[in-house]
Amino acid sequence: MTPLDRPLRLLPRVRNYDWGTPDFIPRLCGREPSGRPEAELWFGSHPDAPADVVIGSSDAGSIPLDRLIAERPVDVLGSYSALPFLTKVLSAGRPLSIQAHPSREQAARGFAGGAPGNYRDPNHKPELLYALTAFSALSGFRPPAEAAALLGALGLEELEPHVQRLESEGAAAYRPLLDALTGRAGTELAARVTGAARLAADRADPERRDALRWIDRIAAFHLEDPLVIAPLILRLIRLEPGQALFTGPGVPHSYLEGSGVEVMANSDNVLRLGLTSKRVDAAELLDILVYEAAGAASLEPEVEEHPWGRRTAFTPPVADFRLDVLDVAGRGPAPLPADDNVRIVLALEGDLEIRNPAGALSLRPGQATLLAASAGGATAAGAGTVAVTMPNASDA
C-alpha cells in the first residue's frame, strides 16, 4: 500500500464555462491558452470533477481524489468523514448568474424532499473569494434608502411604488420587488431599465454612475432579463488583490469580473434567480434569501509577520474551511498550519518546495499538493506565495 504521509501532487480539472477568460488560468499555470474560456480549476474531491492525486512516479500513477478518499478515508481525512471543502481558481470575464445558497438546514430539507433540480446534496455552500486581480461582485442587499435612491434615479413610473416601499418599509420591500421583477411584468421591463440607466449615468455622482454603468455591461449578455437591475439593489463590491469576500447562506450574489481563489463547502447547491441560461427557480430562491442590508464588504484577515515572511489568515464563521496565504520571503522555511488536518496547498507565485520528514514536492504557480491528515507537519521553503485551505477547527 502506497504511503500517504508525504506531499502528493494534485492535478486539477479545468472547467470551460462560457463566462471564463481565455488567458488568466493558462498564464497562472505557465502554459499557452487553448483558445477556449477557462473559468475554473477544481482542486478537490467533488464527484463532478475530482482532482487526480499522483501517488506513483509519474502522472500515470494517479487516482481521483474522491476514489482515494473512499479507499483510505482515515489516512487522507483523519477524523473527517468527507473532505469538507473545495478549492478552485476562478476567472470570470463576464457576469455570472444572480444566485444564492441554502443553509445546511434548508439544504437537508430540500434534499430529503426530493427536489433534485435545486438540491443536489444535503449540505450548505458558504463561499470565500480571495482576489488575485481586481475583482468586482454583487453581494447582499444595499441599505434600502440607498437602493430607493438608485431605483428612483431611473425615473421609471412602474418602479415608483417599489421606491416608496423601500423608503417606508425598509428591507421588507425587497421580496415584493423581486417578485415583480421575476414575474411576467418584469420581462417587459429590462430594455427600459437599460435605456434609463444609460441616461441616468451621465448625470450621476461617481458611486451611482458605477452601479448604473454595470447595468449596461450586464445587459450586453442578458438584454431581456429584468435582473439587469441587480446593481441598483445589491451591494456593488470591488476587491483589490489580497482582499477576500465571504458569502454565507441566503445572500444573493453574482461575481461580475476578475480572478481569484475560491474556497467553498463541498456542495453543489446553487439556486439561481436570473442572468443565466441555466435552470431558474425564483420562488424557491426567494424563500431562502436573507432580506436585510449586507454587512461589511470584505472578510478582514489576521496578519502575522514572521522571520520567514507573512501569514494572512482568513477565518470565516463556518467549520468547513479557512484560508491561509503565506508569503515566503526565502529567509528560511515557513511552517504550514494545521499539522493534524488534511490540507490543499496551492502555489500562486514563485518557486517553492513543500517538505515534511517523508518527502518533498516542488511547486510552481498553478500547481498544488495534497497534504493528507497522515502527513503531519510540513514546511514551504523558497520564495513565493501559497494558499493553504484546511478545515476551520476554530469554528468546529
Side-chain angles (χ1 to χ4, degrees):
M1 182 179 291
T2 304
L4 303 183
D5 57 353
R6 58 186 173 83
L8 301 170
R9 189 171 301 283
L10 202 57
L11 305 177
R13 297 290 181 93
V14 178
R15 308 297 271 174
N16 300 104
Y17 306 133
D18 60 3
W19 49 261
T21 63
D23 56 349
F24 179 84
I25 288 175
R27 189 169 67 245
L28 174 70
C29 298
R31 54 180 169 79
E32 288 298 315
S34 67
R36 301 177 64 194
E38 296 193 24
E40 295 179 341
L41 285 180
W42 285 29
F43 298 89
S45 63
H46 195 284
D48 279 359
D52 288 321
V53 183
V54 179
I55 57 174
S57 58
S58 68
D59 291 0
S62 64
I63 181 174
L65 180 53
D66 58 341
R67 188 175 134 201
L68 181 64
I69 289 172
E71 293 178 359
R72 303 176 64 178
V74 175
D75 287 338
V76 179
L77 301 176
S79 60
Y80 288 89
S81 58
L83 186 67
F85 56 82
L86 172 61
T87 301
K88 302 178 180 179
V89 175
L90 177 148
S91 185
R94 64 187 237 191
L96 280 66
S97 62
I98 302 290
Q99 59 184 254
H101 309 298
S103 68
R104 199 187 300 275
E105 294 76 16
Q106 291 165 338
R109 282 197 307 270
F111 186 69
N118 290 325
Y119 299 99
R120 305 283 297 277
D121 54 66
N123 200 13
H124 66 169
K125 192 186 176 186
E127 298 175 345
L128 182 154
L129 191 288
Y130 172 79
L132 297 177
T133 69
F135 198 98
S136 295
L138 301 173
S139 181
F141 289 108
R142 290 180 179 270
E146 190 176 290
L150 284 164
L151 291 173
L154 296 179
L156 296 177
E157 183 179 352
E158 57 265 66
L159 291 178
E160 188 56 32
H162 299 289
V163 172
Q164 294 175 6
R165 290 190 71 169
L166 283 165
E167 291 172 339
S168 62
E169 300 175 20
Y174 280 123
R175 174 65 189 258
L177 171 59
L178 291 175
D179 274 328
L181 290 173
T182 55
R184 181 175 298 178
T187 60
E188 303 170 359
L189 184 62
R192 292 199 296 281
V193 165
T194 305
R198 289 172 185 158
L199 293 175
D202 292 337
R203 57 179 182 270
D205 60 59
E207 186 173 344
R208 290 186 182 181
R209 187 181 306 129
D210 201 19
L212 290 161
R213 286 181 174 169
W214 264 110
I215 290 178
D216 206 28
R217 296 180 67 180
I218 293 171
F221 303 101
H222 303 283
L223 182 59
E224 298 181 355
D225 192 323
L227 266 298
V228 297
I229 207 169
L232 307 188
I233 60 177
L234 300 183
R235 186 180 53 169
L236 180 60
I237 293 170
R238 181 178 172 87
L239 299 176
E240 297 301 328
Q243 294 183 313
L245 172 68
F246 174 74
T247 304
V251 176
H253 62 282
S254 169
Y255 294 154
L256 298 175
E257 185 178 68
S259 302
V261 175
E262 186 182 32
V263 185
M264 61 183 64
N266 193 27
S267 170
D268 197 29
N269 284 324
V270 181
L271 283 81
R272 296 177 178 87
L273 187 63
L275 307 185
T276 182
S277 59
K278 295 183 178 180
R279 185 178 189 272
V280 170
D281 189 335
E284 181 71 18
L285 184 138
L286 294 180
D287 281 345
I288 73 163
L289 289 187
V290 176
Y291 294 98
E292 59 185 39
S298 60
L299 181 64
E300 290 302 314
E302 174 189 350
V303 180
E304 297 175 351
E305 300 291 343
H306 295 273
W308 49 261
R310 177 183 298 111
R311 169 182 169 269
T312 305
F314 296 92
T315 308
V318 294
D320 307 76
F321 60 83
R322 66 179 245 205
L323 181 72
D324 283 17
V325 179
L326 276 59
D327 294 299
V328 186
R331 298 192 296 265
L336 300 179
D339 289 357
D340 56 350
N341 266 327
V342 58
R343 292 154 287 173
I344 289 176
V345 183
L346 170 63
L348 301 176
E349 294 180 2
D351 290 297
L352 293 156
E353 183 180 73
I354 308 302
R355 177 180 290 277
N356 76 351
L361 184 68
S362 62
L363 289 183
R364 297 188 306 274
Q367 296 181 335
T369 184
L370 170 71
L371 289 171
S374 58
T379 61
T385 302
V386 291
V388 186
T389 313
M390 71 214 88
N392 183 16
S394 66
D395 205 73

